Amino acid sequence: MGRLCETEGLTEDQTEILKAVRTFVEEKILPVATELEHADEYPQEIIDGLKELGIFGLTIPEEYDGLGESLLTYALCVEEIARGWMSVSGVINTHFIVAYMLMKHGTEEQKRKYLPRMATGEVRGAFSMSEPGLGSDVAAVKTKATKNDGGYTIDGQKMWLTNGGTSNLVAVLVKTDEGADSVYKNMTTFLVEKEPGFGETAPGLTIPGKLDKMGYKGVETTEAVFEGHQVSADQILGGAPGQGFYQMMDGVEVGRVNVAARAVGIANRAFELAIAYAQQRETFGKPIAQHQAILFRLAEMATKVETAHAMMVKAARLKDRGERNDVEAGMAKMVAAEYCNEVVQDSFRIHGGYGYSKEYEIERLYREAAFMLIGEGTSDIQKMIIGRSLLKDYQLKG
């Protein structure tokens, strides 16, 4: 391993966990990642290995049978996993967000019901906010839960569910009629149980099948169609309706740290491939790494990787301390995603014609990097969040 993406101030436990994950990535993920990705094959053996490592319960408190580790520990593990294959980090990302939302906002009964089984991976979480007609415009949610004598009836269509097929617990944001003046206070998060798989996975809930994607393969992305799905009031996250928007935004905030970590992992791997190839490939009588144009490109790539890593670590540590980190999470996600794409593109260029061949790993990274620009909010959305927060912080007096 090189000197990039090293993190100061880690505990002995954090260091040991990262060492174990890094070894797992080197031995179990990197050798098979490109083959599985090209086949769009679900990495079941890898997932089983991550269960044994305790990754599914990494941040779940010990009282609920998890490891009780921090967001920083999780983000650093995700960075390592994404370095091996970004899709694998996607398998655990939405699971982590649902577990986080339960830890922060769930009732004690909900925590005891789900968290111990989430820690082992028996219960697998998915996160559902987007719809066919909306992404970042959360106020436009149309899927609705109507109150009835037995609880609620959910009708509508959700989109872009990572783990939509393999999950058996979905946190779903819907509209409810709370009589509030603000649209944001008329939203509720339901914990919807279903069977893994495709088709009708619960009465009134259909998962049609996998969406075919440019990259981010292996892990399934799906729609979810609700047609008269019945759910009890006990399945409202936190027990009280009308809190869904704020619960989801809290989950998305830690998700942005996660996406930043995934982007850093991809970028770091792209740099590793580039600097290795540049020392092997010769032109005009010497390795291309000795040509100034390539040397400068490598220097810029490494600097971008290190900058993105540092910003991601700062955002995670702020959240772990219980401090506000909306600006820092947005900055980290934006910078990491943009730099990831730039570093991958530079690595692609260094590989020359071979970079366009599916035999070379950089071809896969090139397609994976594009998703980082979209996941958990585009760069333009991050700029809006950052800019509005900064205007409040720096508002002129008088």
Side-chain angles (χ1 to χ4, degrees):
M1 295 296 293
R3 62 191 297 171
L4 298 185
C5 298
E6 294 295 318
T7 309
E8 294 183 357
L10 297 181
T11 66
E12 185 176 339
D13 285 346
Q14 288 174 315
T15 301
E16 288 303 310
I17 289 170
L18 285 173
K19 182 179 178 182
V21 172
R22 188 173 294 136
T23 299
F24 184 84
V25 168
E26 292 288 338
E27 295 179 355
K28 304 296 183 181
I29 298 182
L30 277 172
V32 298
T34 297
E35 180 182 352
L36 291 176
E37 199 271 350
H38 286 164
D40 199 7
E41 182 178 334
Y42 189 79
Q44 189 60 57
E45 289 188 16
I46 293 173
I47 299 308
D48 291 341
L50 291 176
K51 286 181 182 179
E52 292 180 12
L53 282 177
I55 297 300
F56 282 88
L58 189 61
T59 61
I60 293 173
E62 293 180 3
E63 63 181 298
Y64 302 109
D65 301 333
L67 297 180
E69 277 294 334
S70 64
L71 173 60
L72 175 62
T73 308
Y74 177 79
L76 293 174
C77 288
V78 166
E79 183 181 278
E80 291 291 341
I81 293 168
R83 174 181 160 269
W85 183 14
M86 191 273 288
S87 291
V88 177
S89 66
V91 172
I92 60 174
N93 177 37
T94 52
H95 176 87
F96 157 74
I97 293 177
V98 175
Y100 171 83
M101 291 170 64
L102 274 162
M103 290 186 290
K104 286 291 297 290
H105 306 288
T107 64
E108 187 57 35
E109 182 180 356
Q110 289 168 345
K111 292 176 185 178
R112 297 202 176 278
K113 180 180 180 180
Y114 292 117
L115 289 178
R117 291 185 296 147
M118 292 187 82
T120 62
E122 176 190 350
V123 170
R124 298 273 298 281
F127 173 85
S128 180
M129 185 169 65
S130 298
E131 297 184 2
L134 72 95
S136 298
D137 183 14
V138 183
V141 165
K142 292 181 179 179
T143 301
K144 188 171 184 178
T146 306
K147 200 169 186 179
N148 56 46
D149 292 339
Y152 290 81
T153 303
I154 301 179
D155 291 285
Q157 185 177 2
K158 307 299 282 187
M159 194 71 170
W160 308 121
L161 278 75
T162 301
N163 298 324
T166 51
S167 63
N168 47 12
L169 180 67
V170 186
V172 184
L173 182 67
V174 301
K175 288 174 64 176
T176 51
D177 186 6
E178 309 305 326
D181 293 335
S182 169
V183 63
Y184 300 107
K185 294 181 180 179
N186 288 315
M187 295 185 187
T188 301
T189 301
F190 282 91
L191 300 169
V192 174
E193 296 184 5
K194 69 176 191 66
E195 292 297 318
F198 301 103
E200 189 171 26
T201 57
L205 171 56
T206 300
I207 306 294
K210 293 198 304 184
L211 297 168
D212 195 14
K213 308 184 298 289
M214 168 180 137
Y216 198 21
K217 294 181 179 289
V219 58
E220 80 281 2
T221 305
T222 74
E223 301 173 72
V225 181
F226 292 88
E227 295 177 300
H229 178 73
Q230 301 296 313
V231 61
S232 72
D234 293 340
Q235 295 301 105
I236 294 174
L237 179 62
Q243 302 299 312
F245 174 78
Y246 308 100
Q247 294 164 345
M248 282 277 176
M249 290 304 102
D250 192 20
V252 167
E253 198 168 273
V254 295
R256 287 184 178 127
V257 175
N258 177 286
V259 173
R262 291 157 79 177
V264 175
I266 295 171
N268 193 20
R269 182 59 180 167
F271 170 78
E272 291 173 352
L273 294 172
I275 200 166
Y277 183 82
Q279 295 173 78
Q280 297 163 356
R281 173 70 167 172
E282 291 190 1
T283 62
F284 304 105
K286 59 184 178 181
I288 62 172
Q290 294 181 20
H291 293 293
Q292 190 178 69
I294 300 298
L295 192 63
F296 281 11
R297 182 161 280 170
L298 291 169
E300 290 174 358
M301 291 164 68
T303 302
K304 289 173 180 176
V305 172
E306 193 73 347
T307 299
H309 172 81
M311 294 187 74
M312 179 274 292
V313 168
K314 179 181 179 181
R317 280 180 163 154
L318 282 173
K319 192 73 172 179
D320 283 333
R321 294 200 297 264
E323 298 179 27
R324 172 185 160 190
N325 84 331
D326 55 337
V327 170
E328 288 77 12
M331 286 179 171
K333 193 276 172 183
M334 178 182 71
V335 166
E338 296 291 345
Y339 278 177
C340 173
N341 276 267
E342 292 172 13
V343 170
V344 168
Q345 188 176 85
D346 279 340
S347 181
F348 176 81
R349 289 176 172 176
I350 287 172
H351 280 78
Y354 288 107
Y356 207 63
S357 167
K358 285 192 173 185
E359 294 182 15
Y360 280 70
E361 190 178 340
I362 189 62
E363 180 271 341
R364 169 172 62 84
L365 300 185
Y366 196 89
R367 290 181 288 106
E368 290 178 341
F371 177 70
M372 300 295 95
L373 297 171
I374 300 168
E376 311 298 2
T378 65
S379 292
D380 288 336
I381 290 294
Q382 306 310 319
K383 291 174 186 177
M384 288 175 62
I385 294 169
I386 296 164
R388 287 171 179 171
S389 295
L390 291 174
L391 282 175
K392 291 179 182 177
D393 292 342
Y394 288 86
Q395 187 174 13
L396 295 177
K397 307 298 182 182

